[in-house]
Amino acid sequence: MNKISHETMRESSVLRWSALILVALTMFFAYMFVDVLSPLQTLLEQQKGWTPEVYGTFASSEYFLNVFVFFLFFAGIILDKMGIRFTGLLSCIIMLIGAGIKLYAISDWFGADNALYDLLNSFAVSFPPAAKLASVGFAIFGCGIEMAGITVSKTIVKWFTGKEMALAMGLEMAIARLGVAVVFWISPYFANLGTPDVVRPVAVCCLLLCIGFLTFFVYTLMDKKLDSQDSTLSKELDEEPEEGFKMSDLGKLLTNKVYIITALLCVLYYAAIFPFQKFATSMLENRLGLSTTDASQLFSWFPIGAMILTPLLGWFLDKKGKGATMLIFGSILVFVCHMTFAIYPFVEGDSNSLLVAYSAIIVLGVSFSLVPAALWPSIPHLVDKTYLGSAYSIVFLIQNFGLWLFPIIIGVVLDKSNPAEVLIANNGVYNYTPAMLVFASCGIFACILGLWLKAEDKKHGYGLEEPNVKS
């Protein structure tokens, strides 16, 4: 789609941005479901007996099939071969199946008188059967949401190439992060509505996922019309059809040094973000002595801050460039945030401690605006568009390995650094310093890769520092 005619839908700003809103709403509801249990770790431990190690393993299960069954690898190929409409609808169906299993697993319907419960309880008895089945559901859901993520990325490239692509990606991410902010408010609310119960917020988010499926279905009608227009235009201009994806294209990706650097930066940076989201509410409860609701609402300023700034930074990237520089500064800021929570002497009930905590969360939000706003629009600069879907899928696959591994690492670190006798001595308060140092180390290594990426761009001229909108 190198030549864009005024006859196509993408030339209409209303239609172009409408398409973005429809797919962004799908991700909005999907992101709500991802973190619906993140503010409820303490309640899960009280009601379901999920220790930090069990919770960490459950949280990591979202990425298990993507990493070990290489689902994301195949998702990219499916996207490039079958197109946006098929892949997007398939991803929504997979998400709904996984969400239903997870809801069933934590509900009262799944109990000791259930044959499946007895089967799951026959091995690894330290890991509750409900957590095992919930992990299976979350793993299936994880396949769907990651497939949806690469589909939405390719959708934005399709509609916004040569236009406000970074701004569009920034707005999509902002809408998705609004889902995270919202769920950190409503999840504790629904959980504590009457008798405390972790099932209610999960059920609500399952219903919202159904709405997300409908918004993507509406988008497919627009996508079909656009493909028809592009096909007609190509015939009128006597253009050769674009060469499709070939398996040999994967070799080009895996031997592309700057692409691999970008993928490694992605996994290290996101390892310091999404796994932290799973533990952030509990960390704030233990470090500042806050209630679950107060800690959850404090952390909600992280996605809110990122939501506000990401579109602005996307606009800046479209107009002024400096993508590689943004990656470096974003990595530095994530290090600053996690080191603050690791070493600052927080005191329960102290106003200065609360101010420092808010400041660190806002710094994290700024970081999470800088890096994603620059990272995802950079990929089209590095690879050919015929295998762009696979390029995104491999980055997501590598990212998913880190997102699978780090919740397990953090869960183990928390258990090992807080043995029973220490917890008793500390009145059940967890020491989060070692865990936060693990997160902080990711920021340092991501910064080093950002510097390397900027040097490669300066040497070879990939255009990472250049604006996306050409004058």
Side-chain angles (χ1 to χ4, degrees), residues 82-105:
M82 302 300 294
I84 288 170
R85 295 190 297 277
F86 176 88
T87 310
L89 290 174
L90 178 61
S91 69
C92 290
I93 292 170
I94 293 172
M95 282 193 284
L96 287 171
I97 292 171
I101 294 173
K102 179 176 169 180
L103 175 61
Y104 172 68

Side-chain angles (χ1 to χ4, degrees), residues 3 23 36 71 78 104 117 120 164-165 218 259 276 295 371 380 403 444:
K3 298 182 180 180
V23 298
V36 64
F71 182 84
I78 292 170
Y104 172 68
Y117 183 98
L120 293 175
E164 318 92 333
M165 186 167 65
V218 174
Y259 170 77
F276 175 62
V371 174
L403 298 181
I444 286 293

Side-chain angles (χ1 to χ4, degrees), residues 221-283:
L221 304 179
M222 298 180 66
D223 187 84
K224 185 176 182 179
K225 178 65 174 177
L226 179 63
D227 279 353
S228 175
Q229 290 178 337
D230 285 334
S231 176
T232 301
L233 177 63
S234 296
K235 290 177 181 178
E236 290 175 353
L237 298 177
D238 197 27
E239 291 181 339
E240 291 293 324
E242 291 182 357
E243 185 179 5
F245 170 81
K246 305 184 300 295
M247 288 299 295
S248 59
D249 292 332
L250 293 176
K252 298 175 185 177
L253 285 174
L254 298 177
T255 55
N256 184 336
K257 181 171 71 172
V258 71
Y259 170 77
I260 294 300
I261 294 171
T262 305
L264 293 175
L265 187 155
C266 175
V267 69
L268 285 167
Y269 178 80
Y270 277 88
I273 297 292
F274 289 140
F276 175 62
Q277 278 185 194
K278 307 296 186 186
F279 292 92
T281 299
S282 176
M283 184 274 293

